[in-house]
Amino acid sequence: ARPQATSVRHDELERRLARWLGYQACVTFTTGYQSLVGTLAAFLDDDVTLVLDRLSHASIMEGMLLSRGAHPELEVRYFKHNNMKQLRRALETAEHKKKMVVVEGYYSVDGDLGKIPEIIALCKELDAVLVVDDAHGLGTLGPTGRGVGELFGVKDQIDILIGTFSKSFGGIGGFVCADQEIIDYMKLTARSFMFSATLPVAQVEGALTAL
């Protein structure tokens, strides 16, 4: 269900994105910024430990701050950029059983890639959900432009993938790909989805031409 104006073309875009990136489902947002803020706000609460790279994008940080305002017991831990030793320590000493790691695929300010295969291995070993913001990788990295997951051969091992239409797609908007249950839950809980206008149909058509 979508509370704002929608069309069959929105649904078609979400289906194509999910199929293109190898996920069960997808939800589109009006901006990439909203997709990140909405994802974090939907899943973070007092029973979660959030682990962030210290070079995280502003939208990740503000999603964390929004969640912390509503859930002051949310534990937030940081690790030095791409430092796997510190990431391991943060996960091993987390206060909560539920853990979420949020990283970027390609860090645009610093111009380097996240250590995605190593991060995936740690998340699997220490039972953490992995969220990858691949705004700068989708459309540019990998043999067919499917981003860092394809580049490293791990695109079926990222739990939640976030992208944007404002980079390689040449438009505006954002999206989140994940399992069907996760996307269904987000459509009912992500405030930046529920209480914001739908992506304009012209932007939807523009994105569809790239898929």
Side-chain angles (χ1 to χ4, degrees), residues 82-133:
N82 272 339
N83 188 309
M84 297 300 99
K85 183 177 180 180
Q86 285 199 0
L87 174 57
R88 172 180 287 278
R89 186 182 305 122
L91 290 171
E92 288 179 337
T93 59
E95 292 181 8
H96 304 298
K97 183 178 180 180
K98 293 191 291 183
K99 300 179 286 287
M100 175 180 282
V101 176
V102 183
V103 298
E104 296 178 53
Y106 181 84
Y107 290 80
S108 60
V109 175
D110 294 85
D112 63 348
L113 292 165
K115 295 183 178 180
I116 304 302
E118 294 175 59
I119 294 170
I120 287 173
L122 279 175
C123 287
K124 286 184 176 180
E125 177 187 346
L126 299 169
D127 196 24
V129 171
L130 176 60
V131 179
V132 175
D133 170 20

Side-chain angles (χ1 to χ4, degrees), residues 36 40 52 56-64 102-104 133:
L36 268 162
L40 296 186
L52 300 176
S56 293
H57 189 270
S59 54
I60 297 174
M61 299 303 293
E62 292 185 19
M64 175 273 293
V102 183
V103 298
E104 296 178 53
D133 170 20

Side-chain angles (χ1 to χ4, degrees), residues 60-80:
I60 297 174
M61 299 303 293
E62 292 185 19
M64 175 273 293
L65 291 170
L66 177 65
S67 302
R68 211 175 205 179
H71 304 284
E73 297 302 315
L74 167 69
E75 182 189 22
V76 182
R77 297 198 170 196
Y78 301 91
F79 62 98
K80 288 183 180 180

Side-chain angles (χ1 to χ4, degrees), residues 7-200:
S7 73
V8 294
R9 300 301 280 169
H10 290 86
D11 294 334
E12 176 64 17
L13 176 58
E14 291 172 349
R15 282 193 296 270
R16 286 198 202 178
L17 282 167
R19 184 169 62 247
W20 184 59
L21 293 168
Y23 287 86
Q24 292 179 2
C26 175
V27 56
T28 54
F29 288 76
T30 315
T31 67
Y33 177 96
Q34 286 175 279
S35 63
L36 268 162
V37 170
T39 299
L40 296 186
F43 293 106
L44 299 180
D45 58 31
D46 291 328
D47 298 321
V48 175
T49 293
L50 174 66
V51 184
L52 300 176
D53 190 298
R54 286 196 176 275
L55 297 186
S56 293
H57 189 270
S59 54
I60 297 174
M61 299 303 293
E62 292 185 19
M64 175 273 293
L65 291 170
L66 177 65
S67 302
R68 211 175 205 179
H71 304 284
E73 297 302 315
L74 167 69
E75 182 189 22
V76 182
R77 297 198 170 196
Y78 301 91
F79 62 98
K80 288 183 180 180
H81 179 53
N82 272 339
N83 188 309
M84 297 300 99
K85 183 177 180 180
Q86 285 199 0
L87 174 57
R88 172 180 287 278
R89 186 182 305 122
L91 290 171
E92 288 179 337
T93 59
E95 292 181 8
H96 304 298
K97 183 178 180 180
K98 293 191 291 183
K99 300 179 286 287
M100 175 180 282
V101 176
V102 183
V103 298
E104 296 178 53
Y106 181 84
Y107 290 80
S108 60
V109 175
D110 294 85
D112 63 348
L113 292 165
K115 295 183 178 180
I116 304 302
E118 294 175 59
I119 294 170
I120 287 173
L122 279 175
C123 287
K124 286 184 176 180
E125 177 187 346
L126 299 169
D127 196 24
V129 171
L130 176 60
V131 179
V132 175
D133 170 20
D134 203 20
H136 296 90
L138 290 170
T140 61
L141 300 177
T144 63
R146 287 172 168 85
V148 293
E150 182 181 51
L151 179 68
F152 290 120
V154 294
K155 69 184 184 73
D156 60 338
Q157 300 177 54
I158 296 171
D159 299 308
I160 300 175
L161 180 69
I162 299 177
T164 182
F165 301 122
S166 62
K167 303 297 188 295
S168 298
F169 282 83
I172 193 72
F175 59 90
V176 180
C177 290
D179 288 347
Q180 186 70 57
E181 290 182 355
I182 291 174
I183 297 303
D184 289 345
Y185 179 78
M186 286 188 62
K187 288 184 176 183
L188 296 173
T189 57
R191 294 173 66 85
S192 61
F193 173 82
M194 294 177 66
F195 301 107
S196 181
T198 303
L199 191 65

